[in-house]
Amino acid sequence: MTSARSRFSFSLLTALAAASPAWAQGDKPVYRCPGNPPLYTDALSAKEARDKGCRTLEGAPITVIQSPKPRPTAGAPVPPAASREKVDSAEQRNRDSDARRILEAELKREEEQLASLRKDFNNGEPERRGDERNYQKYLDRVAEMKAAIARKENDVAALRRELGKQPPPSDASPKLQ
């Protein structure tokens, strides 16, 4: 029984394998038309293909892979202003003041850290620690401190630039001199 089943399934498998290229190719010939990139099509008649200079592809299996739809990128066009939500001017002022307050607090914190680093740096001559018996360790620490100060200065400058981009505070009243 298993022998008969295996022969039947083998013959069925062989018949399907032999028929599959016929299913994939169909009755229409596939043409390769010149161009950059070349066009592969089965939608042309023999006369149209001859007029366009296309060649018939025979015996070569053709695989058609449908490409996925491209995802929208960051550079995608912005929808028109009419379809975007409008924000109330009072709400926008609140958002702007919150952003300004956050940036000012961050700037104050960074400036305090920079002042602390500069104090420890002591104009390029920080005090040596007990674990720095080797002079090279001391020089390495001084170089790290110098790099940290440069990073903090860049951070402070970036925060100041960002604050400069912010609209002035809405509750700013003219100061008396």
Side-chain angles (χ1 to χ4, degrees), residues 18-90:
S20 64
W23 286 341
Q25 293 289 328
D27 292 344
K28 292 181 160 186
V30 177
Y31 299 102
R32 180 181 190 271
C33 299
N36 191 11
L39 173 69
Y40 294 90
T41 182
D42 64 349
L44 298 175
S45 67
K47 184 175 186 289
E48 290 173 324
R50 195 173 39 252
D51 292 343
K52 291 184 177 183
C54 303
R55 292 182 304 141
T56 305
L57 293 177
E58 298 204 17
I62 306 260
T63 304
V64 177
I65 300 174
Q66 192 170 18
S67 63
K69 292 182 180 179
R71 293 182 179 169
T73 60
V78 178
S83 67
R84 284 185 272 163
E85 282 189 41
K86 297 275 183 171
V87 178
D88 182 33
S89 63

Side-chain angles (χ1 to χ4, degrees), residues 110-130:
E110 292 291 323
E111 285 175 336
E112 288 171 356
Q113 290 175 355
L114 178 61
S116 172
L117 285 172
R118 283 184 176 156
K119 181 180 173 226
D120 292 343
F121 189 62
N122 193 22
N123 292 326
E125 297 179 5
E127 291 186 26
R128 283 180 86 166
R129 293 193 218 149

Side-chain angles (χ1 to χ4, degrees), residues 73-148:
T73 60
V78 178
S83 67
R84 284 185 272 163
E85 282 189 41
K86 297 275 183 171
V87 178
D88 182 33
S89 63
E91 175 68 23
Q92 187 62 46
R93 276 195 302 271
N94 286 340
R95 289 180 183 180
D96 291 342
S97 67
D98 287 348
R100 184 170 196 81
R101 185 176 36 80
I102 291 168
L103 285 172
E104 286 172 346
E106 194 171 340
L107 177 63
K108 182 180 177 191
R109 185 174 52 249
E110 292 291 323
E111 285 175 336
E112 288 171 356
Q113 290 175 355
L114 178 61
S116 172
L117 285 172
R118 283 184 176 156
K119 181 180 173 226
D120 292 343
F121 189 62
N122 193 22
N123 292 326
E125 297 179 5
E127 291 186 26
R128 283 180 86 166
R129 293 193 218 149
D131 65 339
E132 294 175 334
R133 291 188 187 111
N134 185 343
Y135 189 65
Q136 187 60 47
K137 282 186 178 182
Y138 172 75
L139 292 178
D140 291 344
R141 184 171 66 96
V142 170
E144 287 174 10
M145 290 175 85
K146 192 173 184 179

